[in-house]
């Protein structure tokens, strides 16, 4: 349960104060959304709050073929973490990035490839997510 709670706090869907968990307004919107709306909300939160996903997204957008070798990000993480933590962080980033449809991952080729973001466009979610709910 702790990794799920940490993820919710990191993404701004919940707050943790003195051991008490409180769902944020954005967390309520996420919980009430259908699966496609959740992906859009997750994508927005991940790109706002998760540095490695911001970096991957930015680099993929700038590359002419919109892809990059996974070892590039392993090298970045390797500067800050031990190898087992590099693997864990990279796997989490891949899982989150694929769920949010930020990118696809070809394990055989070891390449991250940008996903077409137009498949996630949903004006109802954009309006709902940009309402009066305060950001964390």
């Amino acid at each position: 349960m702790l990794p799920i709670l940490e993820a919710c706090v990191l993404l701004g869907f919940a707050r943790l104060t003195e051991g008490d968990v409180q769902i944020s307004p954005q967390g309520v919107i996420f919980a009430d959304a259908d699966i496609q709306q959740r992906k859009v909300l997750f994508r927005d939160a991940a790109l706002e709050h998760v540095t490695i996903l911001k970096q991957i997204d930015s680099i993929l957008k700038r590359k002419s073929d919109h892809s990059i070798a996974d070892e590039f990000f392993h090298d970045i993480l390797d500067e800050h973490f031990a190898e087992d933590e590099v693997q864990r962080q990279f796997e989490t980033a891949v899982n989150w990035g694929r769920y949010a449809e930020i990118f696809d991952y070809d394990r055989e080729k070891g390449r991250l490839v940008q996903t077409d973001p137009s498949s996630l466009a949903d004006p109802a979610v954009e309006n709902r997510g940009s309402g009066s709910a305060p950001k964390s």
Side-chain angles (χ1 to χ4, degrees), residues 26 28-29 32-34 37 41 123-133:
Q26 194 65 15
V28 172
I29 292 169
D32 289 341
D34 67 30
Q37 291 170 325
L41 294 167
V125 171
E126 291 173 13
N127 292 338
R128 198 171 170 189
S130 63
S132 61

Side-chain angles (χ1 to χ4, degrees), residues 51-67:
T51 303
I52 186 92
L53 292 177
K54 279 191 251 190
Q55 290 174 331
I56 292 170
D57 185 57
S58 175
I59 290 168
L60 290 175
K61 285 178 179 173
R62 289 186 301 211
K63 297 286 285 178
S64 61
D65 66 351
H66 303 289
S67 72

